[in-house]
Amino acid sequence: MLEVTDLHVSYGPVHAVHGVSMSATAGRITLVLGANGAGKTTSLRAITGFLRDAKGSVTINGKQILGKFPHVVVKHGLSLVPEGRKIFFPLTVEENLRVGGYTASKAHNAQMMAKIYELFPILYERRDGAAGLLSGGEQQMLAFGRALMSDPEVILMDEPSMGLAPSMVMRVMEQVRAIADSGIGVLMVEQNADAGLGIADDVVVVSRGESVWSGTAEVAQSDKAVVHAFLGESALAETPADIGAADRGETGLAEALNAAEDDASADRTN
Ligand SMILES: Nc1ncnc2c1ncn2[C@@H]1O[C@H](COP(=O)(O)OP(=O)(O)O)[C@@H](O)[C@H]1O
Ligand SMILES: [Mg+2]
């Protein structure tokens, strides 16, 4: 239902994203992997209307939404859980949730809030307290809750596990899975490839502003050493070309990544 095709995004003269394609489907989690600075946040912000200098195609149920303002994008069923959560610390938990429902009616918001409190009972317990007093994991729940307030068809998440204790990371991933299982399409950027692959259905790898590989999480799992090498979590000396789908006669993740790196260096010399 969300289809992003050949997205290009610039910051003035800086062409940060040049050829990102990805999609999200009801009930499924698409995991977006890529090194720091690859263009993941830029892509999510352009898709949701926060970055204006964007070209390409972003459709939801066939309807073009690229170029629309964030409040209009929300009405088309897209919602963003931003990088760093962006919780309003001085506001109460409930006030933060209300921010997420700013485009909807009072009755609709009351109904959504009840659902969110059911999903995250701790938010109900803390509803009148300042959001800044919540733990990191609770703040992430609040960020999910705020994004759910608009009753989205597709929710985009930018590094939900960032800065959380390892024990919290798995809980947050379980919550992401539960959100998808409720019928919402999830497009999730996650630096913790292991945690992300544990719950994802589909995977897209972004390198230097381009999507360079996509496939099922199952195939990505078997090429996991390459994902790690690519993310700089383990030595590149593990000869990524030896690992993965090459044996199966498919285009391997390693091959795609190597090709992308070559293209990217060629771009930079232009
Ligand atoms: N506000 C900005 N102005 C100029 N360049 C930016 C800005 N934000 C990000 N960039 C650049 O765009 C590229 C992609 O950044 P980003 O989308 O944040 O990457 P990621 O989320 O994958 O780590 C990087 O080279 C980064 O330096
Ligand atoms: Mg980012």
Side-chain angles (χ1 to χ4, degrees):
M1 38 186 189
L2 171 69
E3 196 72 51
V4 178
T5 314
D6 199 24
L7 185 68
H8 288 242
V9 192
S10 299
Y11 294 103
V14 181
H15 205 173
V17 165
H18 42 91
V20 160
S21 298
M22 46 184 63
S23 59
T25 314
R28 291 178 77 85
I29 298 172
T30 303
L31 170 66
V32 182
L33 295 175
N36 247 334
K40 306 178 300 295
T41 295
T42 301
S43 297
L44 295 198
R45 289 178 56 78
I47 292 166
T48 45
F50 289 98
L51 291 175
R52 315 294 312 157
D53 195 354
K55 292 191 185 71
S57 169
V58 178
T59 61
I60 183 143
N61 300 324
K63 215 173 220 159
Q64 188 59 239
I65 57 163
L66 188 64
K68 297 198 186 299
F69 285 96
H71 68 279
V72 180
V73 170
V74 166
K75 287 192 168 165
H76 279 88
L78 276 194
S79 194
L80 175 67
V81 181
E83 188 172 36
R85 302 179 189 104
K86 307 283 177 349
I87 294 300
F88 303 106
F89 286 167
L91 300 187
T92 66
V93 166
E94 189 149 312
E95 285 164 346
N96 270 273
L97 289 178
R98 285 191 198 290
V99 172
Y102 77 111
T103 62
S105 70
K106 235 176 168 172
H108 176 270
N109 283 344
Q111 196 187 335
M112 287 313 297
M113 207 173 277
K115 271 196 198 176
I116 289 157
Y117 283 148
E118 202 178 317
L119 195 60
F120 304 116
I122 190 80
L123 295 183
Y124 181 74
E125 281 171 38
R126 304 281 162 88
R127 65 191 181 282
D128 294 325
L133 298 176
L134 298 177
S135 72
E138 291 163 356
Q139 284 176 24
Q140 187 55 51
M141 286 181 218
L142 181 54
F144 287 153
R146 186 180 56 191
L148 288 167
M149 280 293 289
S150 60
D151 200 10
E153 270 188 59
V154 176
I155 187 162
L156 294 84
M157 304 176 172
D158 201 348
E159 304 210 23
S161 83
M162 191 197 263
L164 296 183
S167 60
M168 263 325 288
V169 172
M170 288 328 292
R171 282 194 54 198
V172 164
M173 290 299 128
E174 281 162 19
Q175 288 158 1
V176 174
R177 188 67 252 178
I179 288 169
D181 289 346
S182 78
I184 295 173
V186 174
L187 185 64
M188 176 178 74
V189 169
E190 183 49 66
Q191 281 281 10
N192 188 332
D194 275 327
L197 284 169
I199 57 159
D201 299 295
D202 305 295
V203 177
V204 177
V205 178
V206 175
S207 172
R208 300 175 195 215
E210 284 179 86
S211 42
V212 294
W213 189 89
S214 66
T216 63
E218 207 178 5
V219 173
Q221 280 277 12
S222 64
D223 274 1
K224 212 153 130 184
V226 182
V227 174
H228 278 210
F230 171 68
L231 293 171
E233 288 170 22
S234 66
L236 277 161
E238 276 181 59
T239 56
D242 293 344
I243 308 163
D247 303 341
R248 299 191 295 274
E250 300 163 12
T251 305
L253 190 48
E255 230 171 280
L257 292 173
N258 287 337
E261 300 303 294
D262 292 347
D263 289 352
S265 356
D267 282 352
R268 279 193 302 278
T269 55
N270 287 340

